[in-house]
Amino acid sequence: MALRLKPLNQQTIVVTGASSGIGLATAQMAAQRGARVLLVARDEAGLEQATRDIVAQGGEAMYVVADVGRREDLQLVADTAIEQFGGFDTWVNNAGVSIWGKLEDVRDRDHQRLFETNFWGVVYGSTIAAAHLRGKGGAIINLGSMASDRALPLQGMYSASKHAVKGFTDSLRMELEEEGTPISVTLIKPAGIGTPFTAHAKNYTDREPKLPPPVYRPEDVAEAILHAAEHPRRDLFVGSASKMMSSISNHTPRLLDWIGRRVLVKAQLREEQVRQQQQGTLYEPGGGGRVHGDHPGQTVRPSLYTRAVLHPKSTGAVALAAVAALAWLAAGQGRLRRV
């Protein structure tokens, strides 16, 4: 069977981690473009509000409260999509958590819990989705990270989980392709994204956590995800910083080791002391309903690199127009000087 992905307005899309951040932005954008959306997270209040907002704006959406670290919860999600929508066409494994702290300071159980969400949630979601999509085709889209290619200090186990997600995703893709299964498998690798990510992280340090700049918009990741839902892609970087870090890591890894120890530790901590030990959402849901986070002193900016990758023709036309305009202005200034 040939691999063909439906237009968004003909799709049902499952999105995990959909009560806030990238997942919420993706669900909202997908519904605006005509897709039916099934939102998945642990935070029922956040899911309920997000679903109500989508429906109020004319979209079609439902939600299921689930912990992605439990296979039976995600099987319920798939069964609900089949029962209510007749199935699904794209499954987005987005749910994720993080921990700020040195590896030796973090409790083993916290490390394990992070892997249950970040890695096993992707494994369970991907294999359940593949079982449904095998006979009809569709897309599995997994959220990796810049940390899939390059580890970060103070987020060591998060980095390890994203490396694991990359390895799993690449293996799954090859196995499905070897079978001739019409399923697209895409890994999305964002740089730092301006979501409530730091507020949701468990913090072992004595300082408030922050994302190292540059920080990009959640909507840029949503755009990349929905592009992959319609166009088969192996992987997509979001933010030129992610692409650059991956490329440098392949060629001069020791340079990034030096940057990591000299720059990235301080770059991930705010000046102010932590007010109370931050437990985050590692074990309990909370803080849903917000796409954007609080990143004082940092500019959350659109990724022109990602826009160029997703829309090369239109971006090229804009670039050519800008060059033509500059040439025209330069010529005009020359004429003025001669007069």
Side-chain angles (χ1 to χ4, degrees), residues 192 198 209-216 267 270 294-301:
T198 54
K210 70 173 183 178
L211 294 173
V215 179
Y216 300 92
R270 298 185 187 183
D294 175 23
H295 301 282
Q298 299 185 48
T299 301
V300 180
R301 65 187 192 186

Side-chain angles (χ1 to χ4, degrees), residues 97-99 110-118 157 161:
V97 292
S98 191
I99 299 170
D110 288 350
H111 280 157
Q112 291 162 359
R113 177 57 184 163
L114 182 148
F115 250 80
E116 287 170 6
T117 299
N118 291 12
M157 202 54 67
S161 73

